[in-house]
Amino acid sequence: MGFRCGQTKGKTNFMKILVIGQGGREHALVWKLSQSRNVERVYCAPGNAGTSQDGENVSIAADDISRLLSFAKQNSIDLTVVGPEAPLVAGIVDEFRSAGLRIFGPSKAAAQLEGSKSFCKEIMKKAGIPTAAFKAFTSLQPALSYLDSVEHDLPLVVKADGLAAGKGVYVCRNRREAIDAATSMLKHDEFGTAGRKIVIEECLEGQEASILAIIDGDTIIPLETSQDHKRALDGDRGPNTGGMGAYSPAPSVTEPMMDEIVTRILIPTVSAMKNRGCPFSGILYAGLMLTHQGPKVLEYNVRFGDPEAQPVLMRLKSDLAQVLSLAADGRLAELEGLDWDPRPAVCVVMASEGYPGDYEKGREISGIDEADAMPDVKVFHAGTVEKDSRILNAGGRVLGVTATGATIADAKVAAYAAVEQIHWAGGWCRSDISDKA
């Protein structure tokens, strides 16, 4: 198994690329891939108002695998890049590969690392990867019996086993809250099939960090570190969201710690997946808690994070199309590494009024062009749609205003200066993104 760093070598022919998804992560991918000298055209299915500016939108849903496959065949797509987790867990990579098409992402079996939290925890347990102690349950009474045996004031985390659209995780301060969370899933079917199996685990304390790595089954190329902000309100208060902002790098991840993460977490995970017969290829996203005992894995995702992808890809100077092509072909060992902008980047998510609850759609947004015109700023669209030459909000998380600067503080100032240019009825954001750094 290789772990390499440095520059690229070799050439890639002109390519047509299909990016699947419609969020801020997908806009960042379309934007970065379109910069490659080796790329002729970048499509995005279904895309948003921003991806249509940096690429070409295709009106096919991200989970409509048969239509996506037909489009890729008919348009001679050279490489497909999958953004969201749902089509990966549904097996889109297997379908494309069976049809002889190149695609970047894990197989259906390997995507269980995100699709099933109990599968993920079992892999980590067998491989000796540091993570929280856990138990899995499919019926309420055994879960309640287990909780009865737990010290009353001990914080716990209760998670739906399957995909729950960024939800399905309760951080419980005590046993009473954990009982309520388990009951809501196993008895009241709160998250449907995703919550009919749950994982109860100890609550880890420390600083969080996100480690993303590009993997082709053997070779591991870590990306620059980042940290996101899950809570809706300043000071990490309020309900969990899909992410209200992120910054890169995460100063809490030192170089010796990164070496430890690669050695004790990434390499054993990739080895365990290979030994299980489902080698991992794609993006492995390790959500970590930096505890007093060292880094521990909170969860794995099997795709770029959102909003982490925005500041990380903002800093990437290497040709992303070439890198992902090599990974899709199992040739990452030919990559001597990645080139990075040393300047930090900060992404501030602007959201619709009411998010993460109910919100109104169809409100006109102004000022995006003015923000985009500012030095070292890029506005990544997430929940937007274009109608009659107007940009409207169409989701909860609407924009990811991203900026680079000489320091994290400078990048924050630049990002929020760009935020001040953008307006729509009810639009809001946190004011403290990156302050943890």
Side-chain angles (χ1 to χ4, degrees):
M1 183 174 299
F3 169 51
R4 307 282 296 278
C5 288
Q7 291 286 335
T8 63
K9 60 183 179 180
K11 295 182 179 180
T12 306
N13 294 325
F14 288 105
M15 293 189 293
K16 289 192 285 186
I17 297 179
L18 171 63
V19 174
I20 295 173
Q22 63 189 47
R25 162 187 51 220
E26 287 75 31
H27 188 191
L29 286 166
V30 169
W31 172 75
K32 181 58 68 174
L33 289 165
S34 67
Q35 296 171 12
S36 171
R37 293 176 298 175
N38 300 311
V39 170
E40 174 186 344
R41 184 176 294 179
V42 181
Y43 298 96
C44 191
N48 57 44
T51 58
S52 67
Q53 295 170 2
D54 289 307
E56 182 177 333
N57 285 356
V58 180
S59 185
I60 303 175
D63 59 357
D64 194 340
I65 295 176
S66 62
R67 288 188 64 204
L68 291 167
L69 185 60
S70 296
F71 176 86
K73 290 177 179 177
Q74 291 166 8
N75 290 273
S76 302
I77 297 297
D78 298 291
L79 176 67
T80 298
V81 179
V82 186
E85 63 275 17
L88 292 169
V89 172
I92 188 171
V93 169
D94 308 70
E95 295 286 342
F96 270 60
R97 287 180 180 159
S98 294
L101 296 175
R102 296 167 78 227
I103 185 167
F104 176 75
S107 66
K108 182 175 182 177
Q112 289 182 88
L113 276 179
E114 181 168 0
S116 169
K117 292 180 176 62
S118 58
F119 172 88
C120 179
K121 298 291 281 191
E122 289 295 343
I123 286 286
M124 288 191 281
K125 182 179 178 180
K126 290 179 181 177
I129 294 161
T131 188
F134 75 100
K135 294 282 187 180
F137 301 93
T138 55
S139 56
L140 182 59
Q141 198 53 51
L144 297 181
S145 297
Y146 170 72
L147 289 170
D148 282 341
S149 69
V150 174
E151 186 179 340
H152 179 70
D153 58 355
L154 186 68
L156 294 165
V157 180
V158 182
K159 300 178 178 179
D161 183 68
L163 298 180
K167 301 176 183 177
V169 176
Y170 286 98
V171 180
C172 306
R173 292 170 295 181
N174 51 50
R175 184 172 61 195
R176 180 69 258 168
E177 290 186 2
I179 289 171
D180 291 343
T183 302
S184 72
M185 289 189 242
L186 292 177
K187 183 177 181 180
H188 301 304
D189 217 22
E190 182 181 10
F191 299 110
T193 56
R196 289 175 189 162
K197 185 175 186 179
I198 65 170
V199 171
I200 301 175
E201 60 184 41
E202 65 173 324
C203 185
L204 300 177
E205 295 184 355
Q207 281 278 346
E208 289 190 42
S210 303
I211 305 297
L212 290 83
I214 300 175
I215 298 167
D216 69 352
D218 289 300
T219 303
I220 301 169
I221 305 289
L223 304 183
E224 279 289 292
T225 60
S226 59
Q227 186 177 64
D228 76 339
H229 300 63
K230 290 292 187 192
R231 297 282 188 169
L233 306 177
D234 285 3
D236 286 336
R237 294 176 296 109
N240 270 326
T241 73
M244 294 304 299
Y247 61 92
S248 173
S252 54
V253 181
T254 62
E255 194 169 329
M257 184 181 293
M258 189 65 196
D259 291 340
E260 179 183 358
I261 290 166
V262 171
T263 302
R264 296 189 61 208
I265 293 174
L266 297 183
I267 290 176
T269 300
V270 174
S271 295
M273 294 296 286
K274 191 172 184 179
N275 292 337
R276 194 179 178 95
C278 48
F280 189 90
S281 175
I283 289 285
L284 184 62
Y285 169 130
L288 304 179
M289 185 68 80
L290 309 181
T291 73
H292 292 303
Q293 295 81 35
K296 294 186 178 184
V297 179
L298 292 170
E299 64 178 1
Y300 277 130
N301 294 332
V302 297
R303 34 70 186 183
F304 282 98
D306 189 346
E308 294 95 334
Q310 289 87 306
V312 169
L313 293 177
M314 187 89 162
R315 297 182 58 213
L316 180 65
K317 296 172 70 175
S318 297
D319 186 329
L320 182 64
Q322 184 180 25
V323 174
L324 300 188
S325 293
L326 289 171
D329 292 341
R331 295 165 51 206
L332 263 186
E334 298 177 24
L335 184 72
E336 295 178 3
L338 302 174
D339 187 18
W340 295 96
D341 187 332
R343 297 175 301 165
V346 171
C347 171
V348 177
V349 170
M350 300 186 71
S352 296
E353 182 180 20
Y355 178 78
D358 295 333
Y359 50 85
E360 293 287 332
K361 299 179 181 179
R363 295 177 173 178
E364 184 174 1
I365 306 169
S366 64
I368 295 176
D369 290 343
E370 289 78 2
D372 253 334
M374 298 174 70
D376 301 318
V377 170
K378 175 65 180 177
V379 180
F380 293 111
H381 292 236
T384 64
V385 65
E386 184 174 357
K387 184 177 181 181
D388 299 327
S389 300
R390 299 180 302 147
I391 305 298
L392 311 177
N393 76 314
R397 293 187 298 162
V398 180
L399 301 170
V401 183
T402 309
T404 55
T407 65
I408 289 179
D410 290 337
K412 177 189 175 183
V413 168
Y416 278 103
V419 165
E420 288 297 317
Q421 301 294 316
I422 301 171
H423 305 280
W424 77 91
W428 65 278
C429 65
R430 279 181 58 162
S431 66
D432 63 346
I433 301 302
S434 80
D435 284 0
K436 294 178 184 179

